[in-house]
Amino acid sequence: MNRLLSVRGLKVGFGRGNAAKTVVHGVDFDLEPGETLAIVGESGSGKSVTALSINRLIDDGGGRILGGRMEFTTARGEVIDLACATDRRMETIRGSEIGMIFQEPMTSLNPVIPIGRQIEEAFRLQRGLGRAAARLETLNALERVRIPDAERRLGYYPHQLSGGMLQRVMIAMALAANPRLLIADEPTTALDVSVQAQIMALLAELRRETGTGMIFITHDMGLVAGIADRVLVMIAGRVVEQGRLDDIFDRPRHPYTQHLLQAVPHFSHGRKVRRHMSPAGREMARPALKVEGLTVRFPATAGLLRRPVGAIHAVEGIGFDVMPGETLAVVGESGSGKSTTARALLGLVKPSSGTFSVMSAEGLARRKPMQMVFQNPYASLNPRLDVEGLLAEPVLAGGVRPDASTRQRMVALLERVGLPADSLRRFPHEFSGGQRQRLCIARALMVDPSVLVLDEAVSALDVSVQARVLDLLIDLQNELKLAYLFVSHDMAVVERIAHRIAVLYAGRIVEIGRADAVLSNPRHDYTRRLIAAVPTTERRRDVFRLETAAVPSLLRPRGYEPPEAVWQVCGEDHQVLVERAAAAKEIR
Amino acid sequence: MNRFLTRLLDHSSGRIGGVIVLAYILIALAAQAGLTPYDPLQQFRIERLQGPSLAHWMGTDMFGRDVLSRLMIGIGQSFLVAFSSVGIAALAGTLLGLTAAWFGHLWDGLVMRLMDVLLAFPAILLALLFIAVVGPGTFTSILAIAFVYTPIFTRVVRGPALSLKARDFVDAARTFGSSTSYILSRHLMLNLVAPLTVQVTLALAWSLLTESGLSFLGLGTQPPASSLGLMLSDSVNLMEMAPWLLVFPGLAIMIGILGFNLLGDALRDILDPRSRRALA
């Protein structure tokens, strides 16, 4: 049997004439049928460009293949050089021989056409099926990607489905014609951990079932371990290392590969957590932030007349306290209410009930004592203000006119977060993602807060940048005795920074306690599931199991009041919510 | 300010647009100061409807008035109407659009439905209605044109303002405790500069045309005063006999609008910090 794909000396460039720029400088690799190759590298390393060159979508993106051969063996045994195949030829190959999954499922689907119709179209184009036959195949395809209740979902529009479901739809479409090669370009980057694990499991299972060869592009070494047979590491358009998975992971030769492996936050089940103060000491201290019974409900309406039918109980009776110099991590998947909690504390959404109080570090509430750092550093800085204007914002909001001392503080803070002092006159677009997040941190620190709410503050960053920003946060905390409320879905990151952890599920805290206790001895089912979904470099190949349990609906009928939460204490500073079914059993 | 000027001059369309607009302003000022070749109202009865010559560079009209002199006065008049009306429309539209987007609910519904009603009428018809109520004249035609173009500005501002309102940096500003007026004026307005400049340049061109239309119908600038639109409308019946009466005001309008559009493009680029690199 022939090789599926053999790439030799692939060179790709963008632009013409003076502006021409080569971004991929001679890439070689082979792929056997049914094999999975992971292409790893940080943003801008040319990994996506390489993949897009294989199905020649790069032509539409303004790129050009400058040299090299890409020999692809079709199902009929023909060998085609994809580098110089005609457009018409490529059209027959794309989809039917080479399928592709993109990073953003939301933007890859047409928002105004039901998903059933979109998948049907793929079948009709690829296999020339009639309407009824295509419909039947579509149903099968949806079941193949484990979409529950497939028949009803055919009529759904993309916005009615979650990100994970949409990515499944994309996979179903990519597999419509049983392609021999599937290119997955960061298919899980936009999803959160537990959904990511589901998609990875699906890909692994489909590969076993269909024997499709796969090229998997990612920047996350942790994911590679679970799925790849072979790994190719790229840096600045060149391959610096390639080989079998175990060789690369156990004996990385190139310093960059070693760096990438080290940058993966290693999750060690709570062995590496930070210690702060003893539970006894905590009892004595005055909390910097104290939250009691925080509840946020959004009214839900139905029908033409917007009749109120109930309420979405986004956050339900949450209570915790955070000491100065301590990090409380709030973990959970999207829809668990963790961001709503953060937003309620900052006054961005109105809580329905509950109280919270903030104590400034020195006991005097001089200025706004709580500040927030957002997830997306690209969106949370006004692109039209320069750094000086951005940093002045919280000061201006406090009604203070910026003066020379403000400016001094700006320079000092910029230096403290590791940005050049001449940044003041520059604009956000001149900074990288990591630098922008540093800028956001500096902005939040302008008014001496005692509590910093970090809403997925490092989730949007590359792994190595992530590690450095975390270090900065830890240093700042130690220095300024800041209390952090660290909202995250990434258990490995949480392990590095948290002293205590609160696990949120369906708007309620289901487990809270010391980080080492929660991570090493998770008591709630959901906590265990979250921890099981963490990808690591130690667990290799097919460790992802398919989990279809969805987040339960938070819509409650009018006037519904949840029963009192029952807590079970399981060790020093570690308690878990007793689920209602279990509680009922105990009472009986 | 100095930096702004150098950047404007570095921008190729900014250079051309700037020169054109500056020239028009100078011409209008000169005309106001009486620096026209002839008195624009003086009638040379013997030299009626003469083509361009050394004495009359752009010829004379049916009353024997010097076209060049009338054109210079007309430019001032037309641009006064265009600038004031667009200025008023942009101000009112921005205010309405911003507050509609920000406060939402009832206010949004009220403002936008009203604007929809206004948008449903053809511009000239609406202006006619307005003038019919208030009476003709320069000032009323300014108000009428502003009235007609306000809904467009409201729409143009409200859309982006709605999406800006949901952006993280607005949330961030709210977490600092910034006041609503600060967020509206700084965060929202700064980011609305681009769509507004484009809209203003387009609206300047339209309002020149609307003013011409109103003058053509005898409801805008009243003779014997002159405006570009009035000159055009006077020339229509003599088009075959004296084409210069049509060509020169037409050219003046065309070049003027071109100048505004080029300048608008340049301003949009210069005011956007993201393109600063590319220009440098």
Coordinates of all heavy atoms in Angstrom, one line a residue, chain A residues 19-56:
Chain A
A19 N 6.8 43.0 -1.9 CA 6.2 42.6 -0.6 C 6.2 41.1 -0.4 O 5.7 40.6 0.6 CB 4.7 43.2 -0.5
A20 N 6.7 40.4 -1.3 CA 6.7 38.9 -1.2 C 7.4 38.5 0.1 O 8.5 39.0 0.4 CB 7.3 38.3 -2.4
K21 N 6.9 37.5 0.7 CA 7.5 37.0 2.0 C 7.3 35.5 2.0 O 6.1 35.0 1.9 CB 6.8 37.7 3.1 CG 7.6 37.7 4.4 CD 6.8 38.5 5.5 CE 7.1 37.8 6.8 NZ 6.0 38.0 7.7
T22 N 8.3 34.7 2.2 CA 8.2 33.3 2.3 C 7.9 33.0 3.8 O 8.6 33.5 4.7 CB 9.5 32.6 1.9 OG1 9.8 33.1 0.7 CG2 9.2 31.1 1.8
V23 N 6.9 32.2 4.1 CA 6.5 31.9 5.4 C 6.8 30.4 5.8 O 6.9 30.0 6.9 CB 5.1 32.2 5.8 CG1 4.9 33.7 5.8 CG2 4.1 31.6 4.9
V24 N 6.8 29.5 4.8 CA 7.2 28.1 5.0 C 8.4 27.8 4.2 O 8.3 28.0 2.9 CB 6.0 27.2 4.7 CG1 6.4 25.8 4.8 CG2 4.8 27.5 5.6
H25 N 9.5 27.4 4.8 CA 10.7 27.2 4.1 C 11.1 25.8 4.0 O 11.9 25.3 4.8 CB 11.9 27.9 4.8 CG 11.6 29.4 5.2 ND1 12.0 30.4 4.4 CD2 11.0 29.9 6.3 CE1 11.6 31.5 5.0 NE2 11.0 31.2 6.1
G26 N 10.5 25.0 3.1 CA 10.9 23.7 2.9 C 10.5 22.7 4.0 O 11.3 22.4 4.9
V27 N 9.2 22.2 4.0 CA 8.8 21.3 5.0 C 8.7 19.9 4.3 O 8.2 19.7 3.2 CB 7.4 21.7 5.5 CG1 6.7 20.6 6.3 CG2 7.5 22.9 6.4
D28 N 9.2 18.9 5.0 CA 9.1 17.5 4.6 C 8.4 16.7 5.6 O 8.7 16.8 6.8 CB 10.5 16.8 4.4 CG 11.4 17.6 3.5 OD1 10.9 18.1 2.5 OD2 12.6 17.8 3.9
F29 N 7.4 15.8 5.2 CA 6.9 14.8 6.0 C 6.1 13.8 5.3 O 5.8 14.0 4.1 CB 6.0 15.4 7.2 CG 4.8 16.1 6.7 CD1 3.6 15.4 6.5 CD2 4.8 17.5 6.5 CE1 2.5 16.1 6.0 CE2 3.6 18.1 6.1 CZ 2.5 17.4 5.8
D30 N 5.9 12.7 5.9 CA 5.1 11.6 5.2 C 4.0 11.2 6.2 O 4.0 11.4 7.4 CB 6.0 10.3 5.1 CG 7.1 10.6 4.1 OD1 6.8 11.1 3.0 OD2 8.2 10.3 4.4
L31 N 2.9 10.7 5.5 CA 1.8 10.3 6.3 C 1.3 9.0 5.8 O 1.0 8.9 4.6 CB 0.7 11.3 6.3 CG -0.5 11.2 7.3 CD1 0.0 11.4 8.7 CD2 -1.6 12.1 6.9
E32 N 1.2 8.0 6.6 CA 0.7 6.7 6.2 C -0.8 6.7 6.3 O -1.4 7.5 7.1 CB 1.3 5.5 7.1 CG 2.8 5.5 7.2 CD 3.4 5.1 5.9 OE1 2.8 4.5 5.0 OE2 4.6 5.5 5.7
P33 N -1.5 5.8 5.6 CA -3.0 5.8 5.8 C -3.3 5.5 7.2 O -2.7 4.6 7.9 CB -3.5 4.6 4.9 CG -2.4 4.5 3.9 CD -1.1 4.9 4.6
G34 N -4.3 6.1 7.8 CA -4.8 5.8 9.1 C -3.9 6.4 10.2 O -4.1 6.2 11.4
E35 N -2.8 7.1 9.8 CA -1.9 7.6 10.8 C -2.3 9.1 11.2 O -2.9 9.8 10.4 CB -0.5 7.6 10.2 CG 0.6 7.8 11.2 CD 1.9 7.8 10.5 OE1 2.0 8.5 9.5 OE2 2.9 7.2 11.1
T36 N -2.0 9.5 12.4 CA -2.2 10.8 12.8 C -0.9 11.6 13.0 O -0.1 11.1 13.8 CB -3.0 10.9 14.1 OG1 -4.3 10.2 13.9 CG2 -3.3 12.3 14.5
L37 N -0.8 12.7 12.3 CA 0.4 13.5 12.5 C 0.0 14.8 13.2 O -0.9 15.4 12.8 CB 1.0 13.8 11.1 CG 2.1 14.8 11.1 CD1 3.4 14.2 11.6 CD2 2.3 15.4 9.7
A38 N 0.7 15.1 14.2 CA 0.4 16.4 14.9 C 1.4 17.4 14.5 O 2.6 17.1 14.5 CB 0.4 16.2 16.4
I39 N 1.0 18.6 14.0 CA 1.9 19.7 13.7 C 1.8 20.7 14.8 O 0.7 21.2 15.1 CB 1.6 20.3 12.4 CG1 1.6 19.3 11.2 CG2 2.6 21.5 12.1 CD1 1.4 19.9 9.9
V40 N 2.9 20.9 15.5 CA 2.9 21.7 16.7 C 3.8 23.0 16.5 O 4.8 22.9 15.9 CB 3.4 21.0 17.9 CG1 3.2 21.7 19.2 CG2 2.8 19.6 18.0
G41 N 3.3 24.1 17.0 CA 4.1 25.3 16.9 C 3.3 26.4 17.5 O 2.1 26.3 17.6
E42 N 3.9 27.6 17.8 CA 3.2 28.7 18.3 C 2.6 29.5 17.2 O 2.9 29.3 16.0 CB 4.0 29.5 19.3 CG 4.0 28.8 20.6 CD 5.0 29.5 21.6 OE1 5.4 30.6 21.4 OE2 5.2 28.8 22.7
S43 N 1.7 30.4 17.5 CA 1.1 31.2 16.4 C 2.1 31.9 15.6 O 3.1 32.4 16.1 CB 0.1 32.2 17.0 OG 0.5 32.6 18.3
G44 N 1.9 31.8 14.3 CA 2.9 32.4 13.4 C 4.0 31.5 13.0 O 4.9 31.9 12.3
S45 N 4.0 30.2 13.4 CA 5.1 29.3 13.0 C 4.9 28.7 11.7 O 5.7 28.0 11.2 CB 5.2 28.2 14.1 OG 4.1 27.5 14.2
G46 N 3.7 28.9 11.0 CA 3.5 28.4 9.7 C 2.8 27.1 9.7 O 2.7 26.4 8.7
K47 N 2.3 26.7 10.8 CA 1.7 25.3 10.9 C 0.3 25.3 10.1 O 0.0 24.4 9.4 CB 1.5 24.9 12.3 CG 0.8 25.8 13.3 CD 0.8 25.3 14.7 CE -0.1 25.9 15.6 NZ -0.1 27.4 15.7
S48 N -0.4 26.4 10.3 CA -1.7 26.4 9.6 C -1.5 26.6 8.1 O -2.2 26.0 7.3 CB -2.6 27.6 10.1 OG -3.1 27.3 11.4
V49 N -0.5 27.4 7.8 CA -0.2 27.6 6.3 C 0.1 26.3 5.7 O -0.3 26.0 4.6 CB 0.9 28.7 6.2 CG1 1.3 28.8 4.8 CG2 0.4 30.0 6.7
T50 N 0.9 25.5 6.3 CA 1.3 24.2 5.8 C 0.1 23.4 5.5 O -0.1 22.8 4.5 CB 2.2 23.5 6.8 OG1 3.3 24.3 7.1 CG2 2.7 22.2 6.2
A51 N -0.8 23.3 6.5 CA -2.0 22.5 6.4 C -2.9 23.0 5.3 O -3.4 22.2 4.5 CB -2.8 22.5 7.7
L52 N -3.0 24.3 5.2 CA -3.9 24.9 4.2 C -3.3 24.7 2.8 O -4.0 24.7 1.8 CB -4.1 26.4 4.4 CG -5.0 26.7 5.6 CD1 -5.1 28.2 5.8 CD2 -6.5 26.2 5.4
S53 N -2.0 24.5 2.7 CA -1.4 24.3 1.4 C -1.8 22.9 0.9 O -1.8 22.7 -0.3 CB 0.1 24.3 1.5 OG 0.5 25.5 2.1
I54 N -2.0 21.9 1.8 CA -2.2 20.6 1.4 C -3.5 20.5 0.6 O -3.6 19.9 -0.5 CB -2.3 19.6 2.6 CG1 -0.9 19.6 3.2 CG2 -2.7 18.2 2.2 CD1 -0.8 18.9 4.5
N55 N -4.6 21.2 1.0 CA -5.8 21.2 0.2 C -5.9 22.5 -0.6 O -6.9 22.7 -1.2 CB -7.0 20.9 1.0 CG -7.3 22.0 2.1 OD1 -6.6 23.0 2.1 ND2 -8.2 21.8 3.0
R56 N -4.8 23.2 -0.7 CA -4.7 24.4 -1.6 C -5.7 25.5 -1.3 O -5.9 26.3 -2.1 CB -4.8 23.9 -3.0 CG -3.6 23.1 -3.5 CD -2.5 24.0 -4.0 NE -2.8 24.7 -5.1 CZ -2.9 24.2 -6.4 NH1 -2.5 23.0 -6.6 NH2 -3.2 25.0 -7.4

